[in-house]
Amino acid sequence: MKEYLVVSKEIKDAIENNKPVVALESTIISHGMPYPKNVETALKVEEIIRENGAIPATIAIINGKLSVGISPEQIDYLGKKGLAVAKSSRRDLPILVARGEDGATTVATTMIIANLAGIKLFATGGVGGVHRGGETTMDISADLEELSNTNVSVVCAGAKSILDLGLTLEYLETKGVPVIGYKTEEFPAFYTRESGFKVNYKMDSPLEIAKALKVKDELRLKGAVLIANPIPEEYSMDKTEIDKVIEDAVEEANSLGVKGKDITPFLLDKIQKITEGRSLESNIQLVYNNAKLGAQIARELSSL
Ligand code: PSU
Ligand code: MN
């Protein structure tokens, strides 16, 4: 294992001393936002985590090494390289490592690597899920399987309605992944605070969430808790508008026959273009909001 995993000194130290650490993914940098906003956002997210008393660990595969706590220079490198970096989910991990290549880690892969390093919490924007039409295409993100298997809990702003949110929640229920709403009963839909679907439990403080994570750990129940943190009201988008944008983007993807791992980045890019960057601003703000909550939960967790 040692030959594959590279953990920064700061993170190693933090884990040994039970200090709060929050993992961060890198696909959101290379495939989720355009350069240079992606790099600015990634660095600001790290800053927010520090301001809230935790240590950020951005994760990526660099030259075939599973790297935990990459440097600002490496973040810039991944951000500039953008779509030319391999988006790597679980299935891609062994190949990229064997070949000594770079990889941007999705939620699934970031969870796997965070777990190897001993990190328990991870903050991001949105998770993958069951795509619309997933009942026939079988396009179900490997993120969902990972959430059911790997003991790294994830703070997100729900999931974009590029997915079928109802099927995504059913899948999580089948797999035994608790979905917690932070100060809400509603499962948020990324750009909007409401989706029409409910979370399993509403919790009103980082401590309450940390306690549930601790019990799950102590009972050795494998898998994650999904913590859904709605976008702050002032940055949320108009539901009718964003629904229409997503509808058009999904239609275009279908007509072009976009498939597999390309579909999520394709849709993210389309949505940003159609809204002329307004959705990008919302996206950035909700990630900041999740970084803050992630740091608060990590702090509570390390004090329990
Ligand atoms: N959803 C978003 N933004 C993202 C992603 C999903 O709103 O950046 C990225 C994450 O890295 C997630 C991945 O893990 O896409 C899911 O891809 P797929 O559906 O191919 O599993
Ligand atoms: Mn997929």
Side-chain angles (χ1 to χ4, degrees):
M1 176 61 64
K2 276 211 179 96
E3 59 180 303
Y4 303 125
L5 187 65
V6 176
V7 182
S8 77
K9 186 173 176 318
E10 185 188 25
I11 304 295
K12 211 180 278 170
D13 227 56
I15 291 161
E16 274 164 20
N17 295 294
N18 191 33
K19 287 189 192 154
V21 177
V22 179
L24 299 161
E25 62 157 308
S26 44
T27 293
I28 190 176
I29 305 174
S30 59
H31 290 66
M33 293 180 191
Y35 184 80
K37 280 263 178 195
N38 54 358
V39 173
E40 283 164 31
T41 304
L43 297 175
K44 179 78 182 165
V45 163
E46 292 202 340
E47 199 181 309
I48 291 170
I49 289 174
R50 288 190 194 280
E51 281 165 10
N52 286 278
I55 299 164
T58 301
I59 292 177
I61 304 172
I62 308 276
N63 291 328
K65 301 286 184 205
L66 310 178
S67 306
V68 180
I70 63 172
S71 67
E73 292 72 32
Q74 289 172 320
I75 289 177
D76 189 69
Y77 165 76
L78 292 173
K80 247 186 214 145
K81 215 169 153 190
L83 300 182
V85 187
K87 170 181 164 187
S88 52
S89 197
R90 172 180 267 269
R91 63 139 193 234
D92 307 291
L93 198 148
I95 290 94
L96 292 173
V97 171
R99 289 181 171 170
E101 289 179 8
D102 297 325
T105 54
T106 61
V107 168
T109 332
T110 305
M111 289 174 68
I112 296 170
I113 301 172
N115 189 47
L116 293 174
I119 303 172
K120 301 219 171 295
L121 199 70
F122 163 20
T124 189
V127 288
V130 182
H131 277 262
R132 295 186 186 186
E135 66 277 22
T136 49
T137 63
M138 299 281 278
D139 188 348
I140 300 167
S141 174
D143 290 354
L144 296 184
E145 285 295 312
E146 211 59 54
L147 287 164
S148 75
N149 274 314
T150 301
N151 197 9
V152 175
S153 288
V154 180
V155 180
C156 67
K160 285 197 175 80
S161 50
I162 58 173
L163 305 173
D164 185 318
L165 299 185
L167 290 184
T168 300
L169 289 166
E170 289 293 349
Y171 199 96
L172 290 169
E173 178 167 297
T174 300
K175 295 285 178 173
V177 178
V179 180
I180 292 174
Y182 182 58
K183 298 185 176 169
T184 183
E185 304 269 356
E186 278 269 328
F187 184 67
F190 201 84
Y191 298 116
T192 57
R193 296 171 62 85
E194 267 116 52
S195 67
F197 295 97
K198 299 280 175 241
V199 294
N200 307 133
Y201 297 95
K202 170 176 178 274
M203 292 196 182
D204 295 323
S205 75
L207 177 61
E208 196 183 356
I209 298 171
K211 281 182 179 164
L213 298 187
K214 188 173 162 78
V215 172
K216 190 186 66 63
D217 240 25
E218 288 184 333
L219 293 175
R220 306 223 161 91
L221 283 171
K222 66 175 185 152
V225 170
L226 189 64
I227 301 138
N229 185 28
I231 184 170
E233 188 77 64
E234 63 269 38
Y235 301 112
S236 70
M237 297 187 75
D238 179 72
K239 189 171 183 321
T240 318
E241 183 200 356
I242 195 69
D243 282 353
K244 169 82 174 76
V245 169
I246 289 172
E247 206 68 56
D248 291 350
V250 170
E251 214 166 275
E252 189 171 342
N254 287 341
S255 73
L256 291 173
V258 184
K259 281 199 191 72
K261 71 178 194 176
D262 295 332
I263 192 148
T264 300
F266 177 89
L267 293 172
L268 301 184
D269 179 59
K270 273 285 152 226
I271 294 165
Q272 282 164 22
K273 287 201 172 117
I274 303 176
T275 63
E276 294 167 333
R278 277 179 301 120
S279 65
L280 179 58
E281 194 46 40
S282 296
N283 194 345
I284 291 170
Q285 293 298 333
L286 66 83
V287 176
Y288 293 165
N289 192 45
N290 294 344
K292 182 176 173 193
L293 178 60
Q296 291 169 338
I297 298 169
R299 279 183 59 187
E300 295 293 2
L301 203 52
S302 69
S303 68
L304 284 176

